[in-house]
Each structure stands twice: as C-alpha cells, then as structure tokens.
Amino acid sequence: MKQFDYVQPKTMDEALASWEPGASWLGGGTNLVDLMKLGVAQPQRVIDLTRISDLGEITFQQNGSVRIGAMVSNADLARHAGFAQHFPMVAEALLSGASGQLRNMATVAGNLMQRTRCAYFQEETAACNRRTPGAGCDARDSDEEARALLGASPACVATNPSDFCVPLAALEAQVEVRGVNGTRQIPIAEFHLLPGDHPERETALEQGELIVALHLSAEAARFARHARYLKVRDRTSFAFATTAAAAALQMEDGIIVEGRLALGAVAARPWRVAEAEALLVGQAPDAALFARVAEAAMAGAEAPVHLEWKIDLARRTAARALAMAAAGTPARLPALPASPFGQQNGDLAHV
Amino acid sequence: MSDTLSPEIRFGSNSGQPATRRDGLAKVTGVATFAADNTPEGLLHAVYAPAKIARGRVSHLDVAAAEAHPGVTHVITPQNRPELQGDPSGKPTMFSFRTEVLQDDTVRYAGQPIALVLGETLEAATEGARLLAPQYEVDPVRVALDDNTARGFDPGGFGLPGGASHGDVEAGHAVAARSIDVSYETAAQYHNAMETHAIVAQWDGDRLMLDMPSQALKVSCAGFAYFFGIPPENVTLRSPYIGGGFGSKAIPTGPQVLAILAARMTQRPVKLMFTRQQMFGPAGHRGATRQRLRLGVDENAALTVIDHEGLAETSTFDDFVEPAANASHDLYAAGALRASHRLVRLDVGTPGPMRAPGEASGSAALECAMDEMAEAAGMDPLEFRLHNYAETQPGTGRPYSSKALRECYAEGAARFGWEGRPLEPRQMRDADGLMTGWGMGTALFPCPMFAAEARATLRPDGTALFETSAVDMGQGAWTVLAQIAADSLGLTLDQVEFRAGHSALPDGGVAGGSAHTATAGGALHAAGGDVLRQLGELATADPQSPLYGAGNSSLVARHGWLLLEEDESRRERFADILARAGKTEMIGTGHGGRAPEAAGRHAMNSHGAVFAEVKVDPDLRQVRVTRLVGAFAAGRIINPRLTESQLMGGMIWGTSFALHEAARHDRRSGRIVNADFAGYHVPVNADVSGLEVITVHEDDPYVNALGIKGVGEIGIVGTVGAIGNAIWHATGKRVRHFPIRIADLLAP
Ligand SMILES: Cc1cc2nc3c(=O)[nH]c(=O)nc-3n(C[C@H](O)[C@H](O)[C@H](O)COP(=O)(O)OP(=O)(O)OC[C@H]3O[C@@H](n4cnc5c(N)ncnc54)[C@H](O)[C@@H]3O)c2cc1C
Ligand code: SF4
C-alpha cells in the first residue's frame, strides 16, 4: 500500500489538530485498512483514534437516554447488559454483523462510516463515481447483487451494508460529531446521504469532523418489548444482509400505538417510510396488515430483471420482522441473532 | 524383497487407534514452520501484478513509477524477463500445465501474472506492483459456458478424460417405460486452502533450495529442474507442513517459477506468497460444468440407461476438463451406460484437480437426477438406489474388491431415521413452521494408487527411523503414516521417529487421489517388513539365537522382540540380534504401489451414503442444513479420529458446494468480482450442525496389502446431491444448478 503518516493522538484536541485534507480517522481498521490494501482508500495520514480514552464509554443519563462513545467496540456494545435490555434490536443487529473477531475490533463510529461493499467500488481499476467523481459506474449494468432498490441515482446504485445503522434509523439515533468549529448533533436520518449526482458525498460529516458519540433517547427504549432485527442471507452467519429489517412496536392492550420500520441493504441508507409506519397505528397486529406496511415501505422500488426477486424478498423480510416484533422481544437473544432460524434460544451459536 | 507388497500383514497396537496428531502441539504453539515462515538472510520479497482483464494484451506498464518507489529493487516484465531453460508450454511431469511466466504480453485470464516486482520489503514490492497501473487492449471476454462453442476432444492424459460406455444406449432409451432428461450446472470453485501458495527460493551455484508447500515433492522438483535446466536432484524441496492443498499444490504455478527465476537473477533468496485474491487466478480451480442426464427405467423401476454428458470449461491455452460424467461409471446397475465429455474454451485460468475432481460435480448432478428418476418411478429414493444396486462392476462384470455400500445405506438410514419419510415433497414442517426436507445421495470414490518408496532404519537401541517424502497437508499423514510404520516393526508409536516432507528422502509419492495413506503407507510397511526379514535371516542362522533354525516366515515382531509364532518362549530382542551380528543399524527399503495384475481383476472403490435434512423458511426461503449423516465404507481405517475429520471436512465442503461456493465474473472484464473471503463464501460454524460420520467396517484383501482405500475425498461426494434433494423435498422446487440460493427458491 501507499506510504502514509500514522499518528496516535491522546486527546480530542490533538486529534482535531492533526487533521489535514487527505487524512483518515482510524477506528478498528477493519474496513479502512482493507480498502487501503486494495488501493481504494489512499489516505496521506492515518489518525488512530483508539488511544483517546473518553471515546470508549457507554453512559446512561438520568433520564434513561444513552451516550455511546465512538470507539466503543461493536462487541462491547452488544454485550452491555443495560444497553441490550433497553435497545434489544440494536444488540441483535450488532451480533448479526460480521464475525466475533471483527466485532471485537470494529467501533461504533467505524460501523456508521463503513463504505459500501459494491464490488466495483472495491476494485481500483473499475469505474466508480463514488470513488472518482465523474468516472462512471461499472456496477449499473453488471450482475452485482448488492444493489440499491430504492433511492439510487444514475450515478450510483450502491447500498449501505451496515446492520447496526438499520435499528439506529428506526430508533432515530443522533450522531454527535465534532470539528474545529465545535460539536453538533446530526439525526441519523440525515447522516447517510443518497447518491444523487454526488455519490462521493456519503455522509453529512464535514471535512475534518469526526464522530465522538451516538445518542439514543429514553423514548427509543419504549419499544424494547417489541423490537426485532431480521437479516436474510444465504449463509447463516458472517455474511452481509441480502435484505434486512428492523421493526419496533409500542403496543397497548394488543393494539399498536406506534410503529417503526427500517429496511437494510436496499438503499444507500437505512430506508424508512413514514406512510408505511403510519399504517400501523391503532391496528391489531396481523399478517395482512404487515404485508400492506411492507408494500408501502418498498413503494417505488426498482430493480433490473435479474434482481426483481429482491424487491419481493425485502417486502417479505419487512413483514416478517414486524410479525416477530409483535410476538415480543425474547427474554434472551436467540442463539442465532436476527436469523430466520433464530427461534431456538441458548448460547450464541458461533455467529 | 519383491517390489510388490508382502501379502503378510502385521497390525500392531497402533493401527485402528484414534491417535491425536503428532504435529498438533507444534501447530497450535506456532512452532511448526510453514513455507513462508522462512526468512533467510538477504531476502527479497516478490509480488506479482495480476491482470485485471481476462482477454487482450497489456499495452503499457508504468515500470518507471514502480522502480522509483522506495524499496523496489527490480521489475520483471515480458520485456526483460531472464530466459528460462524449459519451454513454459512443455509438460515435464505427469502433473504439468502450460505455465504463465511472462512469456508475452497477451492476457488469457484475469488474475494472470503480468509482471513481477521485487522489493526489500513486502510493502514496497506490493506498492510497486500496484504502481505499474497496467493499460490494456481489451478483447471481448468469454467467461460463461455459453460464451463459446462446445466441442469434443480426443481423450488422453492428464486433464482430457475418457468416457465410458457399455450396452446399447439407444435401446436403453427406447425401451424405457419412464425417462428423465435434465441438465444440471455447477459453478466454478477456487481452491482456497488456509495457507495460500508460497515459495522461498535460494540458489547456491546450480543447486536450488525451495521452501514450498507441495503435495508432490519429487514431481515438483522435476518440474522446477526442467524450467531451470538443472538435474532434478539439484533441487531440494522442504514441505514439512502444508495448510491445505486440495489438489492445487500438486502443480507448480507460474508465480512460483518466477520467484525462483528472480532468485537466480538477483542471487538473493526470494519469497513470494499469494494474497487471498491471487488464489483466484493461476493456481487452478474446479471448472464450471453443465451436465445433461438422461435416465430411463423399465416397468419395474430397473435402470435401462444412464446417459451422462458433461460439458466443462477449460482455458483457451490448456486442457483440464472436469471429468464429471465419470461419476456415473461404477455406481448403478444400468442396462446401458454412456459417460462422455465435451469442453468449452473460456478466458479463465486453466482448471485443475480440486478435491474429488469429477466425482464431486458429477455426483451432484447424478444423485439429483437419480432422485428425479425415483420420483418419476414413484419410489423412495433409497429403495430406488437399492433396487439398482450394482453387484458387480457395470459393463465389465468384474467383482468389486469389496463393497459395503448396502451396509452404508442401512446404517446411515437407521442413524438418520430415514424410515417413514413421506414420498411427496412439502409434507414436513417443524414446530417452528419451517419447511423440512430429507434427501440422500450415494458416494463413490475410486481407489487409485501411485508409487512410493520408504526406508526403515533399525537402531541399536531397538527404536527405528522411518523416512519417506510423504506429505501432510493437514489430513494427518504425520500421525497415520507413523502408526503404519510402527506397526510394521511391532513397535509403539513413541519408539518410532518418522521423517517426511523433504525431497531428499525416499520418494513418498503424491498426496492426491485419496491414495497417499495406502501408497506411502504401503511403502513404509514394506520397509519395516524388509528389516524384519533381514533380522530373521540373521537370527535363524545364528546358533546362539533362541530362534536358530526356525523358518523366517513363522516369526512375528512385538514390542521390540522377534518371536516364533507357535512358541513365543523362543524369542530375541531386535537390539540383541543387531549387537551379536556386530551391526550398528539395519536398513530396510520398501515400495508402495499396486501390481498391474492386481489392478485388472477387481473394480475398486470406496463407497458411502449421505443423508441430509434441510429447513427452509417458507416465506424468506433461506436454507439451513440441520442434519447430515454420512456412512462410509473405505477399507481399513488406520486412525478413526483423523478419518472422521477427513469425512466431516468433505461433507462440509459438500455443503459449501451445494449452497455457497461460486466464483462470479464481471461479464465485461472477466474479472472475478468476489475474489476474497468476504465475497467467496464457504460454510461457517453456524452453517454446520448435526454432522455425523459413521465408518462401516470393510475388509478388503485386494485393494492393497494394508486394505486401505482412502478417505480424503469421498466425503464431498454424495453430500451435494443429498442437500439438493432435501431442498426439493422441503419445497417441491427442483433447482438444477449449484449453489442453490434464496433467489432460486423464491422464484415462482
Ligand atoms: C469480512 C467482513 C464482513 C463484515 N460483515 C458485516 C456485516 O455482516 N454487517 C455489518 O454491519 N458490517 C460488516 N462488516 C463491516 C464492519 O462492521 C466494519 O468493517 C466495521 O464496523 C468498521 O469499524 P472499524 O472501527 O473497524 O472502522 P475503520 O475501518 O477503522 O473505519 C471505517 C471508516 O470509518 C471512518 N472512521 C472511523 N472512526 C471514525 C470517527 N470516529 N469519525 C469519523 N470517521 C471515522 C474511517 O476513516 C473509515 O472511513 C464486515 C466487515 C468485514 C471485513
Ligand atoms: S454503484 Fe456506486 S459504488 Fe458501485 S461502482 Fe457505481 S458508483 Fe461506484
């Protein structure tokens, strides 16, 4: 790989001061380092954030909201008892992602910032607007399966591969970012950008800003009893989602008071549709309702002929996730988190 | 001693024991050195640049940029490549392909080496290779089976399989009361052993020292010697530990030849190790196939014909045709059989043997077709197979050397609980509402033997040294061969030192064809026998020995003693016999192989039966194999623990074949787009549950002196079909290609 500077700031101020155009923040490195080896990412300077101690905490506030430091590992967050109790589908999504080794390394911020898995993005010699603005898009007319069904543009059809971000979107997390001009909060719905004419702009982060924390509100915890993440894929574990859905319901006397639904792997960001969620309100859970909601959530989906099945699968995934949420969050995470084969409880089954 | 094995067999306390791996501790503590762990002084690192298109020519390489990168020492391209003494298109050994060694600027497949960069560090060489930024003149690529014309070929030699036929095939079709005519496709798969291909090459004058994982040490030495115009004995190859081979490490690859060339050019040691991505290129693969199967049965569900046509991809410049149709040769009794192959030339690297070449892909199609035929005949799939059981080899009528397939069916079915399986699909749901299906497949793998030599040295203290250049690529040869060696002298395992994995030792042959234990083991056994014969001659001719006057043939060896079989009080220690004869050691030699006359008399195969249960989500169509039971009869089992591992590994690969593994090409460039482990999937732990292996007892007096048939490959065979059939049984959908994916099962 290309030569680069490597710095290890100990404080936030040092970190911000060491930034320069062409630098990259380094979390666990499970995505960035791979891309550097492929020549897809070529930072001049790599700023390792793992030595900044106050980025690694999970703090519950008095009011029940939680602040998660940017460098908390995916594994630690998923296994944090209090967190998993309040936000079970986030823990479930985390545990369905990647593998044990990767989750130990991967950070919260790195997961939010992970790049698309589009095979043409990852190949230096392919044309990719996201990598090189104006270069063209080799994925568009390819057999690539990781392709957006919603929110794509002529310039880019890539998807966001994160599992974690899908329940975060459903629960309306806030991303706390910091730059030389101070700190601001970005709602997760505005954090990942759809490609439009500028697929190279992937997030709302400004140059030199970094993620310092993630916030989930106390209200988000009110879904805890009916919240599930479902991830469909050909391999039982250690594979990105073919389709995924996070469904959260607030139920009173068997009636849905409020519902949230976010779909994964279908667009460049987790996909939420207000009209679809509105259909849930005041209804008793049933399969026909969930099918209608899923239909509404996928409204406007488009796929080339070879991927039409995926629109169908995304709808089925959404409807099933809603049904699972309605059935109630299990007391313990299933042995295969987020899996259609996850009915069986018990120790995690080597996922 | 004759050069065939002594018919007398001595099994001591070692064979049949589940000894743990003798190399296990070294491996888990990191003491075991794999090829790339060697870093001789003055080492240069070599990295090759792979082509990113599949067809055309390289029009420009930015050599200056690469050379300017700090730490880069040399850039080798077709323009300045030093000469090789052997023609890269030549075939110096029995396992040779035309080798890609920068002979010109044409690109024949994506991943082909187009330049080699040397650097003082791996990082420098890697970046140098990237900086070459190749430009190409691109020709349209052909990477799918329909992209070029299928054609026949003249069979012969490695890679161009013959077919087989017997009986009147047309009549078989004509008289059939029911027939099926189906096509199955299997995807291209790439060898991905945990340890990628590597080499450390050092020259000393015209002598070459190589650290390189090799499944065929002496053959590799001969191959490299050919390229460099030196005698094979000038090449020393060390290959003590191999992190998996699967067929790909039997054949020297172009980048390895280039690394040796670079070492000669620079007069420095050179190391080259493939990246994971580079494994999808010049190291061989299992070619994609399309197989047409036409089967017919008469009114009584007896097969009238098996007509199996295989079409397989090969490269544009060499031949390796996956011998898929040959899987149908020996398995079922059919009135007539035709197995034939055609090839299609594509812009891909030359395929090669990959664990169970032919049998794995052929059986996938055959076993599913058999299921379809059973369905058409209205019969239980197991009953249908038993109904068409071959009592003798179809076509020739030769007896099988042994065939406990009936027992495999019975024991496997009983363990699995096959009885009561509904004939119709879509009949079973589990408590969670998942669609459940049961399927089965038969496994067969032939029992070839290569040739091997071994040497046994009895030491004055009564312990022994055994030597052969045998190969442990993880299958357990370090342990299993030592067990055989110890038994050949009636010693315990800790009384035997075993040396292998080095080309200076007697030729241990090839670890391939599931034949290594039988062949190298046969040589070791014979070498031990040769020592005993000499000891017996000394003792029985020596009036001072308690064994004086006894016939040599009535002697047995146990715990370091030679004893008279009918009167065990007459005995003498090995050490004493040696000492009295004034000898400090006694050397025996042995050969392993099959006598030509033995080869003709019997048909020889391992057999097995695999039963699979799958669950399929009724809406999402995600599939999971929840149980796999395999019962195998493979002759004598030297080490049940390692055998179970081999068979399990095979069955897991079968799961991989059925549900996961496939190289996907970009249609325009021909590049493989999923060339890493994030994209090229094999099963993970969560995909494997309820895996059970049964080994069925089998005595085979004909296959070889030790009665060993081999267990390395048969585990894959049968499993793929069993899973495909179980998916049909769960869902009612016949997917006629592998891998079977959610998308296939969602389709209306
Ligand atoms: C084989 C494999 C399988 C995987 N499977 C899954 C899966 O199934 N589901 C899933 O969701 N994910 C999966 N992943 C992706 C994995 O979740 C990400 O690689 C990981 O979350 C990235 O975290 P990291 O800390 O290692 O990030 P890094 O690699 O360190 O960084 C990733 C990006 O984030 C930026 N970054 C890091 N920290 C900050 C910060 N504080 N502020 C701003 N930017 C920052 C970096 O500059 C970089 O661009 C898989 C990855 C691999 C390699
Ligand atoms: S889809 Fe987007 S990421 Fe993929 S090649 Fe096209 S522009 Fe690049």
Side-chain angles (χ1 to χ4, degrees), chain A residues 1-2 38 42 117 119-120 123-126 138 141-143 145 230-239 309 313 316-317 320 336 340-341 343 349-350, chain B residues 52 69 123 126-127 130 277 432 434 615 617-620 622-624 660 665-668 671 673 677-678 681-687 741-743 746:
Chain A
M1 67 180 80
K2 200 169 156 174
L38 293 171
Q42 299 187 20
R117 306 303 293 199
Y120 298 86
E123 169 52 51
E124 201 190 349
T125 62
D138 274 354
D141 298 321
S142 76
D143 300 332
E145 288 185 4
L230 174 65
K231 179 175 181 182
V232 180
R233 45 187 167 169
D234 283 303
R235 186 157 76 174
T236 311
S237 178
F238 202 11
W309 59 270
L313 184 63
R316 294 174 188 223
T317 307
R320 172 68 69 81
L336 295 169
F341 303 105
Q343 297 88 344
H350 301 290
Chain B
K52 294 293 177 79
H69 187 73
E123 291 73 16
T126 302
E127 182 63 8
R130 210 182 62 76
Q277 286 85 350
D432 297 314
L434 296 169
K615 302 228 166 146
D617 187 287
D619 304 320
L620 308 169
Q622 191 173 320
V623 179
R624 190 158 188 245
H660 302 294
H665 291 270
D666 173 45
R667 276 183 280 112
R668 281 160 304 183
R671 255 187 314 108
V673 291
F677 277 167
H681 283 182
V682 298
V684 293
N685 278 319
D687 294 299
R741 302 179 58 204
I742 292 169
L746 273 176

Side-chain angles (χ1 to χ4, degrees), chain A residues 25 27-32 49 98 107 111 113-114 163 211 231 240:
Chain A
W25 309 115
T30 62
N31 189 212
L32 180 64
L49 302 175
T107 62
N111 196 320
M113 293 295 291
Q114 66 172 294
D163 291 303
I211 300 175
K231 179 175 181 182
F240 287 95

Side-chain angles (χ1 to χ4, degrees), chain B residues 668-698:
Chain B
R668 281 160 304 183
S669 66
R671 255 187 314 108
I672 294 174
V673 291
N674 60 335
D676 63 28
F677 277 167
Y680 184 85
H681 283 182
V682 298
V684 293
N685 278 319
D687 294 299
V688 181
S689 60
L691 181 57
E692 278 187 76
V693 165
I694 302 167
T695 44
V696 171
H697 182 85
E698 201 173 56

Side-chain angles (χ1 to χ4, degrees), chain B residues 23-49:
Chain B
D23 49 337
L25 191 66
K27 280 184 176 164
V28 298
T29 55
V31 174
T33 41
F34 290 79
D37 292 331
N38 293 284
T39 41
E41 191 121 354
L43 185 72
L44 278 177
H45 295 265
V47 171
Y48 74 87

Side-chain angles (χ1 to χ4, degrees), chain A residues 197-221:
Chain A
D197 293 335
H198 289 284
E200 75 280 6
R201 285 186 212 147
E202 299 184 348
T203 70
L205 272 192
E206 299 289 341
Q207 291 265 34
E209 274 185 327
L210 60 82
I211 300 175
V212 288
L214 189 69
H215 295 262
L216 280 163
S217 67
E219 294 85 75

Side-chain angles (χ1 to χ4, degrees), chain B residues 252-316:
Chain B
T253 64
Q256 290 166 320
V257 175
L258 288 172
I260 301 172
L261 187 64
R264 192 174 69 180
M265 181 181 104
T266 59
Q267 289 297 306
R268 286 175 66 176
V270 169
K271 182 193 293 194
L272 179 142
M273 186 167 199
F274 283 43
T275 63
R276 182 57 60 194
Q277 286 85 350
Q278 288 174 335
M279 289 304 295
F280 296 79
H285 68 281
R286 194 196 298 282
T289 74
R290 178 180 297 147
Q291 302 172 52
R292 182 177 182 196
L293 273 136
R294 282 177 288 167
L295 308 185
V297 291
D298 66 16
E299 294 297 348
N300 302 316
L303 283 164
T304 58
V305 62
I306 298 179
D307 196 352
H308 192 165
E309 285 173 47
L311 172 69
E313 68 176 26
T314 187
S315 67
T316 54

Side-chain angles (χ1 to χ4, degrees), chain A residues 116 118-121 127-131 136-140 155-158 199:
Chain A
T116 181
C118 170
Y120 298 86
F121 171 78
C128 171
N129 288 324
R130 193 172 278 264
R131 226 180 330 100
C137 169
D138 274 354
R140 274 184 58 87
C156 178
V157 296

